[in-house]
């Protein structure tokens, strides 16, 4: 894949002066890249083995606030260090930045002995290992939807996040004309990612003003999550370079469609064949696929927080919005929470439509794999596919508020078995804090509604 580097290649490019900076990054709880910029000469000399970061990077909120109530780290614990160990399999050019390479790091305790269990990358690795022990390898792809605005991040922030203006004036779903107007940004993004080892397939206009979708080729689950986080980061940086804000907020305007991040999942057998396809079965669905899907349906509530982690995430779930509200599966039906794609073909797979653009891909995929594996272990049957408009059905609802999703996360026996109590307690605290922070705020809506009339 173009853009991927070995350490020896990086050394050569550093000697020639073509690369002078290396980004060493961990993925935080929110799915963002955090880390350091190294002089390339120092990185290839010694920092390629390990570096360090404060352990609060896996215990803060979106504002980087040091939240209390975490067992893993706190003021009383002194906020010590983690070891960042570069995964050299992820070493690549950051082609959208001049003279820069990038590597993702795994996170270990201060002595570098034990991987940090609540690190998002480690959580996904653990579920991949569980599936491997069961004889399967997960293959995934994610879709990234986002809005592009006329203004820059700085301008929008200075204006108090009011009067936001999307880059286009009308629904641009599949529009070639409108997306041509956005090519100054999108072409740089596609080519920059491809030149950085991210297998971009293409992009398209989405179903709203100023909304784009980026599609990346399917890969094994860890690569998929890595590619997703790199693409999201690059979209914001390329947008900034072009003077535009790129936002992955799921619902920035009550009157406009939200931004999702659909996840496609299938399993392969050890010999590389599809574990989801059975040519002689109805819809080509193997028993493994049926049971995996049964697990997703049975534990849809348990995993919702990992797909929708913030108060704003739940504003997407509205009737007629292409965001699902009911725990049903269907065949090629965009009103269902889980859509069967590629039925009858070897490419048959499950698309989860619950996740918003704000999801952490490592956590979302890990939770889905845990639910699907539990379904296989329990031989869960998903029942017949739903037909029609799922918004009008009476099936159980997906948790529709952060509070509800937090409680299902807290009480999930399945997730505690899959990840361990300490990990689930850690993320339950994250969910609690997000609600606490929101509850303390007086919103513009409250003031406008009641200032005179209350």
């Amino acid at each position: 894949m173009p853009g991927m580097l070995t350490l020896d290649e990086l050394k050569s490019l550093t000697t020639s002066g073509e690369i002078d900076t290396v980004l060493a990054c961990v993925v935080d709880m929110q799915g963002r890249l955090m880390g350091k910029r190294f002089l390339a000469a120092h990185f290839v000399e010694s920092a390629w083995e390990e570096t360090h970061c404060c352990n609060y990077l896996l215990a803060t909120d979106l504002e980087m606030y040091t939240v209390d109530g975490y067992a893993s780290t706190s003021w009383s614990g002194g906020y010590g260090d983690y070891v960042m160990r570069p995964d050299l399999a992820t070493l690549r050019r950051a082609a959208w930045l001049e003279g820069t390479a990038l590597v993702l790091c795994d996170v270990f305790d201060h002595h570098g002995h034990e991987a940090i269990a609540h690190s998002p990358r480690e959580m996904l690795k653990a579920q991949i290992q569980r599936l491997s022990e069961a004889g399967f390898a997960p293959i995934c792809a994610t879709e990234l939807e986002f809005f592009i605005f006329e203004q820059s991040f700085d301008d929008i922030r200075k204006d108090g996040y009011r009067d936001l203006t999307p880059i286009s004036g009308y629904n641009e779903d599949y529009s070639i004309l409108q997306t041509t107007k956005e090519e100054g940004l999108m072409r740089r993004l596609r080519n920059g990612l491809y030149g950085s080892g991210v297998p971009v397939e293409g992009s398209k206009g989405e179903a709203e003003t100023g909304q784009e979708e980026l599609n990346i080729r399917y890969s094994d689950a860890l690569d998929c999550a890595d590619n997703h986080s790199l693409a999201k980061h690059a979209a914001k940086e390329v947008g900034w370079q072009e003077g535009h804000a790129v936002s992955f907020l799921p619902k920035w305007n009550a009157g406009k469609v939200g931004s999702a991040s659909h996840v496609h999942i299938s399993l392969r057998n050890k010999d590389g064949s599809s574990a989801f396809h059975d040519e002689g079965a109805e819809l080509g669905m193997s028993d493994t696929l049926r049971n995996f899907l049964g697990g997703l349906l049975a534990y849809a509530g348990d995993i919702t927080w990992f797909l929708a982690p913030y108060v704003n995430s739940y504003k997407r779930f509205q009737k007629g919005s292409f965001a699902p509200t009911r725990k049903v599966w269907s065949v090629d039906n965009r009103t269902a929470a889980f859509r069967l794609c590629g039925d009858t073909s070897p490419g048959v797979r499950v698309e989860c439509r619950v996740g918003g653009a704000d999801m952490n891909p490592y956590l979302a995929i890990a939770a889905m794999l845990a639910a699907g594996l539990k379904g296989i272990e329990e031989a869960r049957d998903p029942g017949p596919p739903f037909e029609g408009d799922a918004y009008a059905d009476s099936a159980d609802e997906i948790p529709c508020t952060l509070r509800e999703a937090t409680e299902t996360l807290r009480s999930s026996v399945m997730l505690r078995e899959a990840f361990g109590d300490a990990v689930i307690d850690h993320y339950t605290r994250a969910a609690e804090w997000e609600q606490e922070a929101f509850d303390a705020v007086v919103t513009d809506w409250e003031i406008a509604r009641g200032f005179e009339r209350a």
Side-chain angles (χ1 to χ4, degrees):
M1 183 72 201
M4 301 304 295
L5 299 172
T6 65
L7 184 59
D8 286 340
E9 287 171 335
L10 178 61
K11 289 178 178 178
S12 177
L13 292 169
T14 299
T15 299
S16 71
E18 187 172 339
I19 288 180
D20 55 56
T21 301
V22 178
L23 305 179
C25 306
V26 299
V27 178
D28 72 1
M29 294 166 66
Q30 292 76 27
R32 301 173 298 186
L33 301 188
M34 298 289 177
K36 304 177 180 180
R37 278 179 159 83
F38 281 103
L39 187 72
H42 176 69
F43 182 86
V44 299
E45 178 184 349
S46 61
W48 67 269
E49 293 184 288
E50 69 175 44
T51 184
H52 299 81
C53 65
C54 179
N55 62 18
Y56 91 145
L57 286 181
L58 295 180
T60 63
D61 66 2
L62 283 167
E63 299 277 7
M64 299 299 290
Y65 179 72
T66 48
V67 179
D68 64 4
Y70 285 112
S72 61
T73 187
S74 63
W75 287 113
S76 63
Y79 285 112
D81 272 2
Y82 284 146
V83 171
M84 297 168 57
R85 187 170 295 163
D87 178 353
L88 294 179
T90 70
L91 182 62
R92 66 192 70 222
R93 294 176 183 269
W96 65 93
L97 298 173
E98 183 179 0
T100 303
L102 182 151
V103 67
L104 297 176
C105 301
D106 291 315
V107 187
F108 292 81
D109 64 30
H110 179 65
H111 299 289
H113 296 156
E114 297 291 334
I116 301 303
H118 58 268
S119 165
R121 216 163 179 264
E122 187 61 30
M123 289 172 66
L124 179 52
K125 284 184 175 182
Q127 300 313 303
I128 293 170
Q129 179 60 35
R130 292 181 67 219
L131 277 162
S132 178
E133 292 168 0
F136 304 113
I139 306 299
C140 303
T142 57
E143 304 168 16
L144 290 84
E145 295 178 0
F146 51 89
F147 279 86
I148 306 172
F149 293 88
E150 285 186 356
Q151 309 101 309
S152 69
F153 280 128
D154 292 337
D155 289 339
I156 289 172
R157 184 178 63 254
K158 290 173 183 177
D159 288 342
Y161 297 95
R162 295 181 175 89
D163 300 321
L164 302 179
T165 307
I167 198 170
S168 68
Y170 52 84
N171 182 322
E172 60 185 72
D173 203 15
Y174 295 95
S175 171
I176 297 300
L177 173 61
Q178 178 54 45
T179 53
T180 294
K181 303 173 189 177
E182 299 164 13
E183 270 292 84
L185 192 162
M186 292 304 299
R187 181 171 179 268
R188 282 198 59 205
L189 177 59
R190 291 192 307 270
N191 291 337
L193 286 170
Y194 188 77
S196 306
V198 177
V200 171
E201 292 185 340
S203 62
K204 62 174 283 291
E206 256 299 322
E208 197 39 276
T209 55
Q211 190 180 34
E212 287 266 5
E213 176 181 292
L214 184 71
N215 300 116
I216 300 170
R217 184 175 174 82
Y218 67 86
S219 184
D220 70 70
L222 185 61
D223 278 348
C224 173
D226 288 346
N227 291 335
H228 181 114
S229 287
L230 289 166
K232 188 173 179 180
H233 181 86
K236 292 182 179 182
E237 290 197 338
V238 172
W240 174 82
Q241 291 167 348
E242 293 293 324
H244 298 291
V246 172
S247 178
F248 291 82
L249 188 69
K251 192 77 171 178
W252 70 272
N253 185 299
K256 294 185 179 294
V257 171
S259 289
S261 185
H262 304 144
V263 182
H264 294 248
I265 289 186
S266 62
L267 300 183
R268 287 182 177 170
N269 297 308
K270 291 292 187 181
D271 63 2
S273 62
S274 173
F276 274 11
H277 181 236
D278 181 346
E279 187 174 354
E282 184 179 3
L283 299 172
M285 296 175 67
S286 69
D287 289 341
T288 298
L289 169 51
R290 293 190 64 83
N291 296 157
F292 189 94
L293 180 56
L296 290 176
L297 287 167
Y299 299 106
D302 300 50
I303 68 174
T304 294
W305 184 83
F306 289 112
L307 294 157
Y310 307 111
V311 170
N312 182 263
S313 308
Y314 296 83
K315 303 298 176 71
R316 275 184 60 241
F317 301 140
Q318 297 178 6
K319 180 179 179 180
S321 66
F322 290 104
T325 60
R326 303 285 179 176
K327 299 176 186 177
V328 299
W329 77 279
S330 192
V331 181
D332 197 21
N333 181 337
R334 286 179 168 84
T335 71
F338 300 99
R339 181 169 73 124
L340 189 71
C341 299
D343 59 283
T344 74
S345 78
V348 65
R349 62 195 182 279
V350 176
E351 177 194 40
C352 174
R353 299 182 58 81
V354 179
D358 56 346
M359 75 177 195
N360 180 328
Y362 299 89
L363 302 183
I365 295 172
M368 290 178 65
L369 294 179
L373 178 57
K374 190 65 171 178
I376 292 172
E377 293 171 347
E378 296 175 335
R380 294 254 181 191
D381 190 274
F386 176 84
E387 296 182 2
D389 180 359
Y391 295 117
D393 194 60
S394 60
D396 290 344
E397 285 189 316
I398 295 164
C400 57
T401 66
L402 177 60
R403 282 190 173 87
E404 185 182 354
T406 301
E407 291 311 310
T408 56
L409 171 66
R410 186 197 315 276
S411 61
S412 174
V413 175
M414 182 275 293
L415 288 175
R416 290 182 178 277
E417 289 176 350
F419 294 103
D421 287 335
V423 171
I424 298 306
D425 288 344
H426 187 89
Y427 282 94
T428 298
R429 180 61 193 134
E432 291 172 340
W433 172 251
E434 176 71 9
Q435 189 68 60
E436 291 169 17
F438 178 80
D439 289 345
V441 173
V442 178
T443 66
D444 290 351
W445 181 88
E446 295 169 80
I447 295 172
R449 187 174 179 86
F451 189 84
E452 177 180 347
R453 286 163 287 194

